[in-house]
Amino acid sequence: MNSETSYKRIEITEFGGPDVLAVCVEDSLPLPARGEVRVKVLTAGTGFTDTIIRRGQYYDVKDKPPFTLGYDWFGVVDALGEGVVDFEVGQYVADMPVIGGYTQYLCVSSDSLVAAPAGLDPAEAVAMILSYTTAYQMLTRIKELPAGSTCLVHAAAGAVGTALLELGRLRGLTMYGTASKAKHDTVRAFGAEPIDYRRDDFVAEIARLTGGQGVDVVFDTIGGKSWSRSYGCLKRGGLLIGFGALQLTTGEEKVPSLLWGFFKLLFGWRLVPDGKKSEFYNIQTRRKKYPQQFKDDVGELFSLLKQGRLHPQIDAVVDLEHAQDVHRRIDSADISGKVVLRCNAY
C-alpha cells in the first residue's frame, strides 16, 4: 500500500448503531471522470441527520449498505477531470451530497460544487453548509423577519439551533431557545433567553416571556406532538416552521408517519381562521428546486464567516477514524453545536 495514493473513508456495513461504522482503506486515489474534480476533503460535518441515515430511517436515502456516510464536507480541489474549466487545483470548495462525505478524497461533478474563499477555518467552514444554510434559508427564504421579531428555537444548543440564534442576533431578532439546563450558557452566549424544556412548560414560558402575546416564528426540529404545542406559542399572524424529527431517536415516530402527521396538521390548521401559518422545510428539497439559491446562500455565509461576523459553535474537531465515538455522542445528545471530522491535515 502506497501512503501517497491510499486514503481512508468511513463506511457503514449495515444499518444500526455506531458500531456499524468501519474505517476502510483504499489502495489508490479515485480518478475524476469528465466534468468531475477530485477533492481532498479537509473536514466533514456530523449531525443528527447522519445518525438517521446510519439507522436506515432517512426517507431521502435509498442506498443500501455498504456506503460512505457524511452529509456535507469542505475541501480543496486536488485534480481536474476533462472538460472542467470553472475550477482549478488548489481552490477551496464545498458540497452537501447527503452521503459520501466521511472520506479523505472523493470525486464529484463540478456542477454541484460551491466555491469558497481562501483563509477560512475548515471546521467553521463546514458548519456553514448544512447547519447555517438551513438556518439562513428559514430566516430569509420562507419569511423575511424584520428586526424586533420574536422567535422560539427548539434544540437551541444544537448545530442548527446555535446557527439560528447567531443569525437571528445579526438580524436584530429576539430569540428564545429550549435546551437542557446544562446547555443554557451556550444559548445565552448567542444572546438568547434559554428555556429548560425538562423542567418548564415551554408554552407557558413563552406566554410569560412575551406578556401573553406569543412569538412571530417557531423553529421546531422535534416533531410529533411538539408541533401542535409549538403552534400554540404563535401570535396571530405567526409562522411555525417544522424542519426535523428528533423524536425519531426515541422511537416515538417513524419518518412516514411523522411527515404524514405534520401535513395533516398543516392542512387542518389552514382551516382555522387564526391568521397563523405552518411550513415544512427540507434543505435538499429546496436545493433541488432552487440550486442557484443554495449556492448563493452558502456563498453569502462564507462571506460573513470570512468577515469575522459568524462564530459557529464547534464542540470538537476529531480525526476521521473516531467517527464511531462522535455518533455515540450525538445519540446521547451530549453535544453543544457541531462536532467536525478532520479528514486531512490542514
Side-chain angles (χ1 to χ4, degrees):
M1 182 175 68
N2 188 331
S3 61
E4 293 184 0
T5 59
S6 64
Y7 71 100
K8 297 176 182 177
R9 60 184 180 87
I10 302 295
E11 183 178 88
I12 66 167
T13 56
E14 59 183 314
F15 293 128
D19 291 346
V20 305
L21 299 179
V23 179
C24 295
V25 179
E26 302 292 345
D27 291 337
S28 59
L29 298 182
L31 297 176
R34 180 177 180 83
E36 291 186 336
V37 303
R38 184 172 69 214
V39 175
K40 180 181 181 179
V41 180
L42 301 179
T43 51
T46 70
F48 173 70
T49 305
D50 289 336
T51 69
I52 303 177
I53 296 171
R54 190 199 70 217
R55 296 188 191 97
Q57 295 177 312
Y58 193 67
Y59 72 97
D60 209 27
V61 173
K62 309 304 181 186
D63 299 62
K64 302 297 182 183
F67 61 82
T68 303
L69 207 59
Y71 206 94
D72 54 354
W73 55 260
F74 177 82
V76 61
V77 174
D78 183 67
L80 301 177
E82 185 181 353
V84 175
V85 296
D86 294 336
F87 294 92
E88 58 187 30
V89 172
Q91 186 172 358
Y92 291 93
V93 291
D95 194 15
M96 188 178 66
V98 182
I99 59 174
Y102 290 9
T103 184
Q104 292 184 311
Y105 289 88
L106 54 74
C107 291
V108 60
S109 170
S110 64
D111 291 340
S112 72
L113 294 176
V114 181
L120 298 181
D121 176 88
E124 293 184 337
V126 80
M128 297 297 107
I129 305 164
L130 171 59
S131 302
Y132 270 72
T133 302
T134 294
Y136 184 80
Q137 292 194 332
M138 289 193 296
L139 285 166
T140 63
R141 297 293 187 179
I142 296 179
K143 179 178 182 177
E144 187 74 27
L145 297 173
S149 299
T150 52
C151 305
L152 171 62
V153 177
H154 286 296
V160 176
T162 53
L164 280 165
L165 297 185
E166 182 167 41
L167 290 169
R169 180 174 60 184
L170 278 181
R171 302 180 72 81
L173 308 181
T174 298
M175 311 293 283
Y176 306 100
T178 63
S180 62
K181 185 69 173 178
K183 298 178 181 179
H184 280 198
D185 285 346
T186 297
V187 174
R188 290 192 187 95
F190 287 96
E193 177 71 27
I195 297 172
D196 188 345
Y197 71 90
R198 291 174 177 167
R199 187 194 67 181
D200 300 321
D201 179 344
F202 70 80
V203 180
E205 278 296 286
I206 286 297
R208 181 184 67 83
L209 291 165
T210 63
Q213 293 185 16
V215 294
D216 292 295
V217 181
V218 179
F219 300 97
D220 192 326
T221 186
I222 307 300
K225 299 179 181 67
S226 179
W227 281 328
S228 292
R229 301 189 67 226
S230 291
Y231 193 80
C233 294
L234 295 173
K235 64 173 60 171
R236 186 171 184 84
L239 173 65
L240 166 63
I241 302 177
F243 69 99
L246 286 174
Q247 285 206 354
L248 285 170
T249 60
T250 67
E252 296 177 49
E253 300 281 356
K254 304 298 182 184
V255 169
S257 62
L258 184 84
L259 295 177
W260 176 240
F262 180 79
F263 292 122
K264 284 196 298 183
L265 288 172
L266 186 151
F267 178 76
W269 286 329
R270 287 178 176 173
L271 300 179
V272 179
D274 58 6
K276 302 177 184 180
K277 296 182 179 180
S278 56
E279 297 281 349
F280 187 81
Y281 170 87
N282 177 272
I283 191 170
Q284 285 292 347
T285 300
R286 191 172 187 91
R287 182 186 186 182
K288 290 174 185 176
K289 189 174 182 179
Y290 306 109
Q292 189 57 49
Q293 192 181 90
F294 173 81
K295 291 185 178 183
D296 291 345
D297 292 345
V298 177
E300 174 64 18
L301 291 166
F302 281 151
S303 177
L304 290 171
L305 184 65
K306 179 76 171 179
Q307 295 167 34
R309 298 179 64 191
L310 295 178
H311 303 87
Q313 177 80 10
I314 305 299
D315 183 289
V317 181
V318 302
D319 289 338
L320 180 67
E321 293 87 345
H322 299 301
Q324 272 194 17
D325 296 333
V326 174
H327 275 238
R328 292 189 185 98
R329 289 193 62 198
I330 296 171
D331 285 352
S332 64
D334 180 34
I335 291 173
S336 292
K338 195 172 190 73
V339 174
V340 173
L341 294 177
R342 183 191 298 107
C343 300
N344 277 288
Y346 57 83

